[in-house]
Amino acid sequence: MVLLGKLAIVTGAGSGIGRATCRVLARDGARVIAADRNLRAAEQTAKDIGIDHVVALELDVASLESVTKAVAASIAQFKQPPSIVVNSAGITRDGYLLKLTEKDYDDVYKVNLKGTFLMAQQFARAMIEHHVRNGSIINISSIVARISNPGQANYAATKAGVISLTEIAAKEFGKFGIRVNAILPGFINTPMVEVVPDKVKEDVLRRCPMGRLGRPEEIAEVIAFLASEKASYVNGSAIEVTGGLK
């Protein structure tokens, strides 16, 4: 129970990596706020894990108003802000550059990069104001930030931005006792990857030394490590969890 007594908030908690992360953090003793734009999906996560450990919250990470309300709600309910923040919310709107629409670019930017910025800024501010030490912010980037898949210019750019944001936040927040790290998942068996064309997935499996997709729980276990005191000197890192895919 390495996270016993800790309070965590996980965005994108309605499915995939976010849902698995809620399960693993709760297993390790944390109280968890499962946050998602789809409240019903977040409630299902809480129901599956057990409402004694997880509460659901509707949250649009792209909205400053929604994020600030989430901060206030967590403090009102738990008398403190979360010391663990997992930014797992993310979307794709794939398309080749010459056909990519402004809306598809903006939508991906707002959730993947702006959302990570707003969550990190507002929750770190709350930790500092409430004198919460040993905070941990974990941002979900992607290996696509480094291997740059054609057709994913908007997604890759935002996920590369998450790495830079993480590195800067780590330098700025370290003096307040808040560590900030990023995880770069490979191709993980989630609803987001399910819609990827089979031809693309077959190519990925050929290039991955382990020859399979990752499981959401395999990302969640690394998140739990970074959230714990076992990772007390890990700060500003971008950790690849890809099965060796490059």
Side-chain angles (χ1 to χ4, degrees), residues 1-243:
M1 305 289 276
V2 293
L3 299 178
L4 189 64
K6 297 279 191 178
L7 176 63
I9 184 167
V10 180
T11 69
S15 65
I17 292 170
R19 177 171 284 181
T21 298
C22 290
R23 186 179 299 111
V24 171
L25 296 183
R27 178 205 68 193
D28 286 354
R31 293 172 295 173
V32 181
I33 301 168
D36 201 286
R37 186 166 55 183
N38 183 338
L39 179 59
R40 184 171 295 180
E43 289 173 338
Q44 187 62 51
T45 295
K47 181 180 178 181
D48 290 348
I49 298 170
I51 57 175
D52 291 339
H53 304 284
V54 182
V55 297
L57 177 70
E58 184 175 4
L59 171 61
D60 178 4
V61 298
S63 163
L64 176 59
E65 180 182 6
S66 183
V67 173
T68 54
K69 284 182 178 179
V71 174
S74 65
I75 295 171
Q77 182 166 355
F78 297 99
K79 311 307 178 188
Q80 62 179 350
S83 62
I84 300 167
V85 179
V86 182
N87 289 311
S88 184
I91 63 170
T92 56
R93 296 287 185 272
D94 294 348
Y96 290 112
L97 267 172
L98 294 178
K99 296 181 179 180
L100 188 64
T101 66
E102 181 180 14
K103 184 178 187 305
D104 284 346
Y105 179 89
D106 287 345
D107 286 349
V108 171
Y109 161 76
K110 287 175 183 177
V111 174
N112 295 2
L113 186 53
K114 180 185 175 185
T116 300
F117 155 69
L118 289 175
M119 287 291 296
Q121 181 192 59
Q122 296 302 313
F123 279 89
R125 182 176 291 160
M127 287 186 220
I128 294 164
E129 290 175 352
H130 286 77
H131 307 289
V132 173
R133 302 293 293 183
N134 301 320
S136 179
I137 298 174
I138 300 119
N139 300 323
I140 304 301
S141 177
S142 171
I143 194 60
V144 172
R146 290 182 171 161
I147 64 176
S148 303
N149 287 341
Q152 290 194 302
N154 50 357
Y155 184 76
T158 59
K159 291 302 188 179
V162 167
I163 297 172
S164 293
L165 179 67
T166 297
E167 292 171 348
I168 293 169
K171 292 178 179 179
E172 295 187 5
F173 297 167
K175 64 185 177 183
F176 300 109
I178 302 170
R179 297 179 293 107
V180 190
N181 294 286
I183 295 176
L184 283 61
F187 280 71
I188 309 300
N189 191 13
T190 66
M192 184 182 290
V193 171
E194 283 178 3
V195 301
V196 173
D198 288 341
K199 185 177 181 180
V200 175
K201 285 191 278 193
E202 289 168 5
D203 179 61
V204 168
L205 294 180
R206 281 194 298 268
R207 290 158 48 206
C208 178
M210 295 189 71
R212 65 171 176 85
L213 299 178
R215 297 186 300 273
E217 293 76 15
E218 291 175 308
I219 306 301
E221 293 289 357
V222 182
I223 291 171
F225 165 72
L226 290 173
S228 76
E229 291 306 301
K230 293 181 179 181
S232 58
Y233 204 56
V234 183
N235 189 35
S237 296
I239 300 172
E240 296 182 10
V241 187
T242 69

